[in-house]
Amino acid sequence: PEQAVRHAASAGFEWVEMDDRMVSGFLDQPVDLKSKLGSLGIGLAAVSVAGNFADRAERLKNISRAVLAARLLQAVEGCVVV
């Protein structure tokens, strides 16, 4: 994930969207993620959460992942959960 963000920054993008699995290592360390993004001059526009929302057990797990992603976005001053 870090290399993809570096490529986006070097291509001139100011914002990136990441999958929730790409940021899962930063859920308890939002300051570290914000610092890494800031050092590249890029922001986190969105975190997408994909999964089976039709199955009840999977839906609850995916909603939990979405909540964690939303908290991370808020901490790094990102934008939306998709």
Side-chain angles (χ1 to χ4, degrees), residues 16-35:
V16 292
E17 176 181 344
M18 301 173 92
D19 181 280
D20 69 306
R21 290 171 183 93
M22 294 171 74
V23 297
S24 63
F26 293 99
L27 294 176
D28 295 330
Q29 303 163 340
V31 173
D32 291 346
L33 178 59
K34 186 174 182 177
S35 176

Side-chain angles (χ1 to χ4, degrees), residues 17-18 44-48 69-70 73 77-82:
E17 176 181 344
M18 301 173 92
L44 183 59
V47 174
S48 61
L73 275 167
E77 299 173 357
C79 297
V80 297
V81 174
V82 182

